[in-house]
Amino acid sequence: MLRISVSFPIIGSMPSPRSALENWEAVYPDIDVAMTRPIARTVRAGRLVEQAMHRVVRAHGLSTLLDYEVLAYLRRGDPASPPNVSTVGGALGVPKAAMTGRLDRLEQAGLVRRAADPTDRRALTLHLTEQGRQVTDEVFRDHVVVRDDLMSDFTREEAAQLAALLGKLLESNA
């Protein structure tokens, strides 16, 4: 199994959110900047997680985290009912036009296969190849190792609380 380091010199050298907040309070004493701290920490934590996960996908020969997300979407789906390009793009928030180059790359790498949609001759369905399934499974297993490393200081209850709070942030801004 792949071992990915989750220490990031770039993030580690950034000023802490607390000192940045204190600086903003000094610059704008008339503005309440208290809600800046959770946003700043959410941004920094997001970068940390994204960088760690990006290292995993790159170690497996994928170009981007979104390439893995396409493979993972197909892996979680029902092979008997393959999705079309628009469905995958919509689920991942990627326009169909932007999916074309990504799918070309994944198809050339032997990870996905496009086929005519039997219900709509204008559409193509997406299928994970056996190689694509293997790569997806390897990346997922390595993501779990990195996830466990990132979350090692959290109890299950704390992780659930964090997930709930981040979910609330996302839902309230959807």
Side-chain angles (χ1 to χ4, degrees), residues 36-168:
T36 302
R37 181 174 286 133
I39 295 298
R41 289 185 176 169
T42 301
V43 168
R44 287 182 63 185
R47 284 187 196 136
L48 175 73
V49 171
E50 188 171 359
Q51 288 176 7
M53 296 307 178
H54 187 73
R55 287 182 180 184
V56 171
V57 299
R58 297 279 308 212
H60 288 279
L62 298 173
S63 298
T64 67
L65 192 53
L66 190 53
D67 287 349
Y68 170 70
E69 290 176 16
V70 169
L71 298 177
Y73 184 91
L74 296 174
R75 180 70 172 104
R76 291 187 307 265
D78 178 4
S81 180
N84 63 34
V85 175
S86 295
T87 300
V88 175
L92 300 178
V94 179
K96 184 179 174 183
M99 288 289 291
T100 302
R102 181 169 316 286
L103 293 173
D104 287 346
R105 248 191 344 268
L106 293 171
E107 194 168 38
Q108 287 171 353
L111 304 174
V112 299
R113 177 178 57 82
R114 290 180 265 203
D117 186 332
T119 62
D120 182 354
R121 65 183 184 150
R122 299 166 297 162
L124 296 171
T125 57
L126 297 175
H127 305 263
L128 200 57
T129 65
E130 185 55 38
Q131 182 182 352
R133 184 179 326 283
Q134 290 172 359
V135 168
T136 305
D137 291 347
E138 290 169 7
V139 172
F140 181 78
R141 285 185 182 97
D142 288 342
H143 271 186
V144 169
V145 170
V146 171
R147 176 208 66 198
D148 289 349
D149 195 23
L150 288 167
M151 299 297 292
S152 63
D153 291 336
F154 288 81
T155 65
R156 285 180 117 20
E157 293 78 21
E158 289 171 330
Q161 183 181 17
L162 177 61
L165 292 170
L166 291 171
K168 183 176 180 178

Side-chain angles (χ1 to χ4, degrees), residues 3-23:
R3 183 69 181 148
I4 303 290
S5 169
V6 293
S7 62
F8 298 97
I10 294 172
I11 289 177
S13 64
M14 294 172 61
S16 73
R18 182 179 187 109
S19 66
L21 182 64
E22 290 167 355
N23 290 339

